[in-house]
Amino acid sequence: MSADPAKIYQDFLDRTGDALLANDAAAFLDRIVLPHRIMTETETILIEDAATARRHFFGFAAALRSQGVDVYVRTVKRAERVAPDRIIGWHETFITSSGKLVAPRFENQVELIHRDGRWGSIWTRHFTRFVAWPDILPREGR
């Protein structure tokens, strides 16, 4: 696998972000490897099965819709191939509605693994402290 890890990582971010805004659980969850861990600065959420993954997907998608989100942009800052079938990447997330941030910009880290012909995430880390669950939207400090 000789493709540029930053391009692979950005493609993953774009595909899953598009699926999220389209409320397309199948396309989004096709890129999530179970069990999956979501980590913030204050907690770790373990998603062990497909039913739980779907519930979290629809909770997050509904939270975005309720805020009128029309842009969900994640931009690669850096990506490294740590094994032939693994990439760890860092990116920034911007979530807006009509050009205004609905949550503070935040940074993230994801590990991708290549399996069954596609790249999927095995864990996600959100570098934000004040998070409302289950929508994982960062909030201003309290």
Side-chain angles (χ1 to χ4, degrees), residues 90-105:
W90 293 260
H91 66 278
E92 291 181 301
T93 299
F94 301 88
I95 305 171
T96 64
S97 174
S98 300
K100 295 182 181 176
L101 286 172
V102 299
R105 177 208 61 82

Side-chain angles (χ1 to χ4, degrees), residues 5-10 12-13 75-82 86-92 107-113 119 121 123-127:
K7 288 181 181 179
I8 293 168
Y9 190 67
Q10 187 65 59
F12 166 83
L13 296 174
T75 305
V76 172
K77 291 179 75 174
R78 137 174 148 245
E80 299 173 4
R81 190 178 301 274
V82 294
R86 289 183 186 264
I87 293 172
I88 295 181
W90 293 260
H91 66 278
E92 291 181 301
E107 295 185 8
N108 309 269
Q109 183 180 27
V110 173
E111 182 173 354
L112 301 180
I113 185 169
W119 288 94
S121 172
W123 57 260
T124 302
R125 178 174 290 135
H126 301 288
F127 293 99

